[in-house]
Amino acid sequence: QVQLVESGGGLAQAGDFLRLSCAASGDIFSGYAMAWFRQAPGKEREFVAAIDRAGTVTYYADSAKGRFTISRDNHKATLYLQMTGLNFEDTAQYCCAAGASNGNRWATEYAYWGQGTQVTVSS
């Protein structure tokens, strides 16, 4: 199994950028498809972006397209989410997840989760 630890969240102004990281340990990182999900208070967890094992194919929610970039460094066993043009609706707890299937948008398909990092965007 793999352990995941997110970092990089914090307080941002509207229009700012942040880069989230997700450090993996335990199992072989490159053996997992990875994704970012987020959950705002009072809302369901939602898919943000996913990336295949090799880091060559990416998938995005409509809300993330054109603003967020998911990437991974298999040598460093780290997943990233570069977020630009932040707005208030991006305020949420962001979690990374590891699973078996590439590009899966369903949280139930991911077996391993980090604790999350909070992103708060003020207008």
Side-chain angles (χ1 to χ4, degrees):
Q1 59 183 3
V2 64
Q3 291 78 46
L4 305 172
V5 178
E6 301 92 339
S7 62
L11 182 63
Q13 301 276 347
D16 277 356
F17 64 89
L18 283 175
R19 188 175 83 155
L20 306 183
S21 298
C22 169
S25 61
D27 208 346
I28 300 174
F29 180 66
S30 59
Y32 293 92
M34 299 295 298
W36 287 98
F37 287 80
R38 68 185 184 184
Q39 187 167 19
K43 295 187 178 181
E44 293 186 355
R45 182 164 50 190
E46 65 171 346
F47 169 79
V48 176
I51 190 166
D52 72 336
R53 291 173 180 78
T56 56
V57 183
T58 56
Y59 313 80
Y60 294 96
D62 288 344
S63 60
K65 284 179 183 176
R67 299 190 301 127
F68 295 0
T69 302
I70 188 171
S71 62
R72 65 190 295 166
D73 185 332
N74 285 343
H75 294 292
K76 294 182 178 179
T78 303
L79 175 74
Y80 302 100
L81 184 68
Q82 179 77 32
M83 305 187 293
T84 62
L86 288 166
N87 57 59
F88 179 76
E89 288 70 33
D90 295 317
T91 295
Q93 181 89 343
Y94 285 73
C95 293
C96 60
S101 301
N102 290 327
N104 215 305
R105 297 170 181 254
W106 299 102
T108 53
E109 296 297 317
Y110 291 88
Y112 304 105
W113 292 80
Q115 296 280 3
T117 185
Q118 178 67 35
V119 172
T120 302
V121 184
S122 62
S123 56

